[in-house]
Amino acid sequence: MNSSLVDAPSPKASVEVQDKKQDKPKSGQDKVDNTFSSSDSSAETSRKLAETIAGLRITSEKIAKTQSNVQDAISASQSLEKKWQKFQSDFDKILNNAIGQIAKGLGVNSAVDEAKFGAGYKGGGEEMTTLEKFKVLGNDCSMKSLARRLRGNKYKNIVILMGAGCSVSAGIPDFRTKGTGLYSQVKKYNLPYAEAIFDLHYFNEVDKTPFHKIAKEMYPDPEKFKPTLAHKFIKVLQDKGLLLRCYTQNIDGLERLSGVEEDKLVEAHGSFLGDGLCGYCNAPCDKDVLKDVLMKGDENGYCGLKCTECDKGYMKPPIVFFGENLPKRFSENHKADMEGCDLCIVMGTSLKVAPFSNLASLVPKDVPRMLVNKELVGDFWDEKESEGGDTNYRDVVELGDCDDTIEAFSKLLGFQNELGVGGKESSTTKTTKEKNLKSEKVSGKKMKVKSVAKALLARKPNGRRVSIAN
Ligand code: OAD
């Protein structure tokens, strides 16, 4: 007999116990009844406990199953993403091949260098074939089409060209927007023309006070002015290893503040943030000393700092005035960068100041360009000017507020988290959609054949800064 059989009471034994209980006196009977009912309730409790434990086990199994389902879904979506990228790269290869074959079949090898089909066309004066143009954005010059390619790792050397429009939402006015731009606000200084406020000759020889006064208002205060979505977007590109360079005309330092590294940045028009220099003899001046003087002014309320070296000129922050050379970094890098980029994004600039305004025209013809601006600028494709002739094959034109567009673009790219923009549709995105409806008309079909001449005219061989007349 094994121990479990011995320990378990037989039904017969149980009856016997019950019979014995009935023979006991009344007082004892109560006692037995009580004992009996307490053991009944503890059996009930254990039954309930067992049920609860069983329930918990089922719930925990369900949780484990859900976890495994979620894990499966994540793996499936990752594998789908990989498959999609592979599909895109395979598609590119097939397309390249097909283009080469078709070109051969058409016997165009002599007219068009066949090598460029595979290796990538790098500009030049000759016309591109329809097939070459098709390769750039697949005849779909929309933001979605560009985002799809960017997600598919097609662009890894992105150049950003930016201007004052990118800082408007930070509270810093641009220059040329009528009414709100800085040049609309300097009329009070009786300048011969608005840009004279940043003109070296005017500053040195005619009147330095307008600049000194405006400098006091413009000094970037990191407490007051924060990077906008456009600035943050550049930082995200940098963090993902996709940024070749960011060229900015802005002097507010918001690119630096957003974390764009020095090596990735060319401040083409200088910045308020470095050491100052004499406008006349270039003698250096400590930035804090200059800032202090410009912000406070002297006892007469005048805020200029005279140069003690030449005793003629006045100190100015290291921003590039009209008539001054651009920083070395600009001349050292811009040609290779523009020719080497695989995507160029132009944001918030009127492209009216040379030589910066020429950069977008240096992008190779087989490289897509994106314009994020309130208005059409430079030689970006313009339906009106194409007059039913050429086709737009590479300019993605997004007219509207740059933060709205960057938000929408970032969502298409899956950059929301890095950029801190939510998944829900914001009011600004809605505006973008409305604008996109308009700009779809612009970005879809025709190519502009315009103003290379205008850009060339504005290009000065000495690299000095000039303004292009409207
Ligand atoms: P501009 O004022 O010339 O051009 C700003 C462009 O941004 C215009 O095309 C506007 O329509 C557009 N814009 C304004 N707000 C916008 C927004 N929220 N979203 C999208 N686009 C917007 O400024 P820049 O082109 O930067 O020199 O000017 C170039 C240079 O001219 C500046 O660097 C400055 C000035 O002389 C100095 O450094 C002092």
Side-chain angles (χ1 to χ4, degrees):
M1 198 181 271
N2 69 35
S3 64
S4 66
L5 281 174
V6 171
D7 288 345
S10 72
K12 193 173 173 228
S14 155
V15 171
E16 280 169 7
V17 170
Q18 271 193 340
D19 288 349
K20 276 181 194 164
K21 273 187 240 159
Q22 279 160 7
D23 296 340
K24 295 250 164 126
K26 206 170 185 308
S27 56
Q29 179 85 43
D30 287 341
K31 202 179 167 194
V32 171
D33 283 345
N34 285 343
T35 310
F36 190 79
S37 113
S38 144
S39 106
D40 185 38
S41 111
S42 91
E44 176 66 7
T45 309
S46 357
R47 190 186 58 75
K48 281 190 180 154
L49 200 62
E51 265 176 22
T52 311
I53 290 168
L56 282 175
R57 191 169 296 130
I58 290 167
T59 311
S60 112
E61 276 164 8
K62 277 186 186 161
I63 289 173
K65 182 114 182 62
T66 311
Q67 271 177 337
S68 132
N69 286 344
V70 169
Q71 196 48 52
D72 286 353
I74 290 171
S75 313
S77 91
Q78 281 169 345
S79 120
L80 204 64
E81 175 90 20
K82 272 193 193 140
K83 277 186 189 152
W84 173 242
Q85 284 171 7
K86 182 162 180 341
F87 168 77
Q88 284 195 319
S89 113
D90 288 351
F91 181 76
D92 268 359
K93 278 183 205 150
I94 292 167
L95 195 65
N96 278 348
N97 214 349
I99 289 172
Q101 295 300 325
I102 293 168
K104 260 188 203 158
L106 294 173
V108 293
N109 314 34
S110 52
V112 184
D113 181 8
E114 193 192 331
K116 74 190 173 194
F117 289 119
Y121 183 70
K122 285 294 164 196
E126 65 202 296
E127 279 297 308
M128 287 172 75
T129 64
T130 310
L131 291 172
E132 284 173 313
K133 288 176 182 173
F134 178 78
K135 258 188 68 184
V136 180
L137 284 176
N139 277 357
D140 178 3
C141 295
S142 66
M143 184 160 74
K144 261 192 185 168
S145 152
L146 189 71
R148 202 168 54 239
R149 286 169 169 77
L150 186 46
R151 277 182 74 115
N153 295 326
K154 192 157 180 178
Y155 312 121
K156 292 178 180 144
N157 290 297
I158 303 174
V159 164
I160 303 282
L161 306 178
M162 62 194 294
C166 295
S167 297
V168 167
S169 65
I172 303 170
D174 69 0
F175 295 89
R176 293 178 179 80
T177 295
K178 288 205 166 65
T180 55
L182 191 99
Y183 290 151
S184 295
Q185 293 163 36
V186 297
K187 286 184 182 134
K188 56 188 171 198
Y189 298 125
N190 293 323
L191 297 157
Y193 55 98
E195 287 165 343
I197 200 159
F198 297 119
D199 187 288
L200 191 66
H201 174 78
Y202 194 84
F203 179 78
N204 278 339
E205 312 292 344
V206 185
D207 189 3
K208 55 217 157 282
T209 49
F211 172 72
H212 281 145
K213 286 179 183 158
I214 209 87
K216 191 173 172 176
E217 289 171 30
M218 286 178 79
Y219 250 109
D221 176 355
E223 292 305 309
K224 207 165 127 197
F225 304 121
K226 303 283 181 207
T228 67
L229 280 188
H231 298 99
K232 290 178 191 165
F233 177 72
I234 304 167
K235 167 79 163 54
V236 174
L237 291 181
Q238 172 186 279
D239 292 348
K240 291 183 180 291
L242 305 175
L243 181 69
L244 177 59
R245 207 89 64 188
C246 167
Y247 286 79
T248 181
Q249 298 164 94
N250 297 346
I251 51 182
D252 52 34
L254 290 186
E255 298 82 11
R256 290 195 210 184
L257 205 61
S258 73
V260 178
E261 287 157 17
E262 214 170 290
D263 176 50
K264 293 285 172 194
L265 188 63
V266 176
E267 292 173 321
H269 294 173
S271 149
F272 265 102
L273 302 177
D275 280 337
L277 72 169
C278 169
Y280 203 77
C281 73
N282 286 348
C285 160
D286 181 82
K287 62 174 186 292
D288 295 326
V289 172
L290 177 61
K291 183 175 178 186
D292 214 36
V293 173
L294 289 182
M295 297 306 279
K296 282 186 198 148
D298 64 14
E299 61 280 8
N300 305 314
Y302 180 63
C303 57
L305 180 64
K306 198 162 188 188
C307 174
T308 48
E309 284 286 320
C310 63
D311 202 29
K312 186 167 186 305
Y314 276 77
M315 296 298 180
K316 63 185 255 309
I319 61 178
V320 180
F321 277 18
F322 289 103
E324 279 193 289
N325 285 324
L326 269 64
K328 255 193 183 165
R329 273 181 68 67
F330 181 87
S331 46
E332 282 170 358
N333 291 296
H334 78 276
K335 198 165 180 295
D337 284 351
M338 298 321 296
E339 286 176 359
C341 70
D342 48 22
L343 170 63
C344 174
I345 303 178
V346 178
M347 303 196 283
T349 171
S350 62
L351 288 183
K352 286 211 170 127
V353 176
F356 194 97
S357 54
N358 303 316
L359 295 181
S361 316
L362 299 179
V363 176
K365 284 181 188 169
D366 65 340
V367 168
R369 307 185 304 178
M370 181 180 190
L371 175 68
V372 180
N373 206 48
K374 278 200 167 155
E375 54 181 346
L376 198 59
V377 295
D379 67 349
F380 272 88
W381 176 76
D382 182 351
E383 186 176 23
K384 285 183 210 129
E385 290 200 24
S386 74
E387 288 168 3
D390 294 300
T391 306
N392 179 28
Y393 66 93
R394 68 147 169 176
D395 281 351
V396 176
V397 177
E398 287 295 326
L399 301 184
D401 181 273
C402 55
D403 279 356
D404 285 355
T405 304
I406 290 302
E407 182 176 340
F409 194 39
S410 299
K411 285 181 180 170
L412 291 173
L413 294 169
F415 288 0
Q416 303 96 303
N417 290 345
E418 291 93 330
L419 216 68
V421 290
K424 277 190 179 173
E425 181 179 75
S426 69
S427 59
T428 50
T429 317
K430 190 165 159 261
T431 344
T432 304
K433 279 190 183 159
E434 284 158 5
K435 278 177 265 168
N436 283 348
L437 283 176
K438 285 186 209 153
S439 71
E440 258 173 30
K441 286 187 197 155
V442 185
S443 58
K445 295 193 179 93
K446 314 276 177 178
M447 182 188 95
K448 179 180 182 182
V449 198
K450 92 158 204 182
S451 79
V452 176
K454 185 173 153 191
L456 285 173
L457 278 175
R459 196 180 298 169
K460 293 271 164 159
N462 62 8
R464 277 169 198 266
R465 223 182 119 185
V466 291
S467 183
I468 303 172
N470 253 333

